Amino acid sequence: MKKAFLASLFILFIGSAVGQYYLRGEIKNERGTLLEGVLIQLSSKGLNPFYSGNGGAFGIPSNLIYDTITLQLNGYEVLKTIIDTRKMQSFVLQMLPSTANQFKKKLNSITKNLNKTSISFMGLGESYSSHVENEFIDAKLFPETGLALNVDHASYSNIRRFINNQMPVPTDAVRIEEMLNYFNLNKDSSNVARPFFNCNTALTTCPWNEHSQLFFADIAAPKLNLDSIAPSNLVFLIDISGSMDKPNRLPLLQAAFKLLVENLREKDTVSLVTYGGGVDIRLYGVSGKEKTKINQAIDSLEAGGDTPGTDAIRIAYATAKRFFMRKGNNRVIIATDGDFNVGEVSEKAMEDLIGTYRLSGIYLTCLGVGMGNYKDSKLELLSKKGNGNFAYLDNLQEAEKVLVTELTQTLYSVANDAYLSINFNPEQVSYYRLIGFDNKKDALSDSTTQMEGGEVGTGHHMLAIFEITPTKQDSSLISRKIANIQINYKTPQTQQLIKQIFEAKNQVIDINTANSNYRFGTAVCMFGTLLKNSKFKSNINYDQILQLANYSYEPTDKFQKEFLVLVEKSKQLNAPSKKKKNASNN
């Protein structure tokens, strides 16, 4: 009897050792988002790695009924447990605090300890996020404020599209900080590397309010040495759905990407993923020297079908991971009108999808095109959640600006999660108002919302402008500091947190004698204030803007010259006499 029992145990052991089982399952996070690329290790397989695939699914053969599984993914807690290989498994990875923070709604600017206001939602045909304009803040109660740094400038070229088509500009399409970003004032054309941020400040009179002053913070990003710039792993993700079948959409993008291809090097790699009626990989890790092959693939694109955008995003990121360069520039460039009509189309679902890729070291650039069904809100969300930047292409000249002239600023990041903190001196400042950097209404309504830093490209200049009400002071106090400024950011390769501190002096000059870049930036701010129908527009008019811009613009800069034309067109479009005439004709 004893021998029979031992024989049975031996047979059971042999059977479990040589039998084949197939472990199947899926992996998701606590938000229900399926996770791909999770490292899976089974004790029976030693150090052999396996990974979850598209949709978080996996299947692994095992010769044991019971095995120990270990799951690892950057930004998540390691999960190790014993499993039954005969059963379908469903695992939930818990986010680390830093990862969970990525899914919170984010602010473009924030004032410490200031209560948030109630909100309402306003929708427009082209889908723009509704914003709440920054108010004047009491510096004695709330001296510290902050704002995100980035290179986004989609708002300006989109505004230009409306004005050139003699159409009114939607107020929520106006983001003044992006209008200022468009001109990249104080652009440095030299090839001298700069390892850290630099900050210059100025304090001037205010052209629309004699009781106010304007405070300028002029930020220059670190600059890479272009002669030794790292290789790039680029994935072009191009929307070829039916909505792209117009001259200002797919044909414009084809011409735009071919401009970019001309600047690729042998050490760069390009992949091309398209979506429209399905998702296709047209190029897979092709060297940048094979320009003819790349251009032929771009030329072959034709529009048609629905828009499976979320599936395409997954495949594009998987392709970028396949050719990932550890010390290189890894980036997905998505080009679309933003009309994702198949799959996870809500902003929350898109946010969850992109948030899972944020920690992968792969950046995202969004290029928007089209009109009528253009989804600005979705592309803005994608770029911010994808640790990237955002531009709108209304013509081929704009494509050349973004992908050729400013290629390095668009594609090569020198700072992640970058933001500026300003602590005003209440002895010098009674009230202050940040111009632009307005926050989304839904972000303001969320009590857990935090400010989100931005991605900054090499050599970028950014101008932030405050309107301030000075305290009453005697002349002996004029040299005292007006504010302390701190720039906070992480380095892309090491994620090391760096803080730089600057001091701003209280030395007021007349706006008419200030640096021409500050004067031109002020004209841009005034123009944006009118376009967004701001409550602070009462003392601003088009003639003031034209006068200030006319004697401050750079004559050799075609974009600054074009600004004057746009202001004049907008003046004519919004002239009271024209409005009355149109009303009488209706």
Side-chain angles (χ1 to χ4, degrees), residues 92-321:
V92 177
L93 294 188
Q94 300 296 317
M95 299 181 194
L96 294 172
S98 59
T99 306
N101 189 46
Q102 303 297 334
F103 291 94
K104 294 181 179 179
K105 292 182 174 68
K106 301 295 184 177
L107 298 172
N108 292 323
S109 58
I110 190 169
T111 301
K112 282 196 171 182
N113 303 316
L114 183 66
N115 291 331
K116 299 174 177 65
T117 60
S118 61
I119 58 94
S120 61
F121 177 75
M122 179 180 67
L124 291 170
E126 288 202 355
S127 176
Y128 295 92
S129 298
S130 193
H131 292 79
V132 177
E133 191 170 17
N134 290 318
E135 301 276 355
F136 274 101
I137 305 298
D138 189 331
K140 188 171 293 185
L141 297 176
F142 311 105
E144 186 175 352
T145 191
L147 55 98
L149 303 178
N150 58 62
V151 299
D152 295 345
H153 53 67
S155 179
Y156 182 81
S157 48
N158 191 30
I159 288 168
R160 179 175 62 204
R161 184 250 302 189
F162 279 103
I163 295 173
N164 284 336
N165 283 283
Q166 296 189 314
M167 298 167 63
V169 178
T171 55
D172 279 322
V174 181
R175 297 186 287 269
I176 294 178
E177 71 278 10
E178 292 186 21
M179 295 176 68
L180 288 168
N181 261 348
Y182 184 84
F183 297 98
N184 206 2
L185 300 172
N186 274 334
K187 184 177 179 180
D188 182 5
S189 60
S190 69
N191 196 22
V192 178
R194 180 173 56 241
F196 299 106
F197 275 91
N198 190 28
C199 177
N200 293 313
T201 61
L203 186 64
T204 74
T205 56
C206 177
W208 64 83
N209 188 342
E210 64 179 5
H211 302 295
S212 293
Q213 296 171 350
L214 296 182
F215 177 72
F216 299 84
D218 182 11
I219 313 299
K223 191 167 186 177
L224 299 173
N225 186 333
L226 300 185
D227 295 332
S228 58
I229 206 160
S232 292
N233 162 33
L234 303 177
V235 178
F236 300 165
L237 178 56
I238 302 180
D239 182 354
I240 59 169
S241 62
S243 65
M244 297 293 289
D245 191 16
K246 293 182 180 179
N248 64 345
R249 299 186 189 184
L250 182 57
L252 174 59
L253 288 176
Q254 288 171 302
F257 276 101
K258 288 170 72 174
L259 289 173
L260 171 57
V261 169
E262 289 305 309
N263 287 283
L264 295 177
R265 303 157 297 176
E266 181 177 351
K267 62 183 179 179
D268 300 325
T269 63
V270 172
S271 299
L272 172 59
V273 179
T274 61
Y275 61 104
V279 182
D280 291 312
I281 300 177
R282 309 292 186 103
L283 295 172
Y284 200 57
V286 175
S287 169
K289 72 176 181 179
E290 297 187 60
K291 294 179 173 34
T292 301
K293 182 177 182 179
I294 299 171
N295 286 334
Q296 286 176 344
I298 294 172
D299 285 335
S300 70
L301 303 181
E302 295 181 356
D306 52 22
T307 318
T310 51
D311 286 342
I313 289 172
R314 288 191 179 99
I315 291 174
Y317 271 93
T319 304
K321 288 168 69 174

Side-chain angles (χ1 to χ4, degrees), residues 424-558:
F424 284 103
N425 181 0
E427 294 181 1
Q428 305 294 317
V429 179
S430 292
Y431 296 91
Y432 62 87
R433 175 177 72 92
L434 175 59
I435 301 175
F437 299 90
D438 301 327
N439 291 300
K440 292 182 180 180
K441 287 185 175 182
D442 63 343
L444 280 174
S445 66
D446 187 344
S447 61
T448 67
T449 300
Q450 301 175 358
M451 190 176 69
E452 178 176 42
E455 181 224 3
V456 181
T458 176
H460 178 66
H461 276 262
M462 183 176 180
L463 190 64
I465 305 178
F466 290 82
E467 180 181 355
I468 69 170
T469 303
T471 57
K472 294 180 180 179
Q473 55 182 314
D474 57 48
S475 58
S476 64
L477 298 176
I478 198 167
S479 63
R480 294 183 59 181
K481 72 177 180 183
I482 191 172
N484 283 327
I485 297 175
Q486 181 171 296
I487 299 176
N488 310 271
Y489 66 100
K490 295 176 183 176
T491 56
Q493 295 294 338
T494 65
Q495 293 300 301
Q496 177 187 0
L497 178 62
I498 296 179
K499 298 181 180 181
Q500 295 180 242
I501 297 175
F502 304 86
E503 185 177 289
K505 297 293 185 180
N506 184 11
Q507 297 174 323
V508 187
I509 59 175
D510 192 293
I511 184 66
N512 297 308
T513 61
N515 181 297
S516 61
N517 289 314
Y518 299 157
R519 297 199 307 268
F520 187 83
T522 301
V524 173
C525 277
M526 294 167 71
F527 186 41
T529 300
L530 284 186
L531 291 177
K532 73 190 286 90
N533 196 27
S534 166
K535 62 166 38 175
F536 303 106
K537 71 172 186 178
S538 58
N539 294 323
I540 299 175
N541 59 60
Y542 282 100
D543 290 333
Q544 284 178 312
I545 298 170
L546 287 167
Q547 181 182 6
L548 186 59
N550 260 309
Y551 77 91
S552 60
Y553 82 98
E554 173 54 56
T556 61
D557 189 320
K558 61 183 178 182

Side-chain angles (χ1 to χ4, degrees), residues 66-82:
Y66 298 102
D67 210 336
T68 300
I69 191 171
T70 303
L71 305 177
Q72 298 180 64
L73 182 64
N74 286 341
Y76 291 83
E77 295 179 5
V78 176
L79 176 62
K80 186 174 183 179
T81 186
I82 297 174

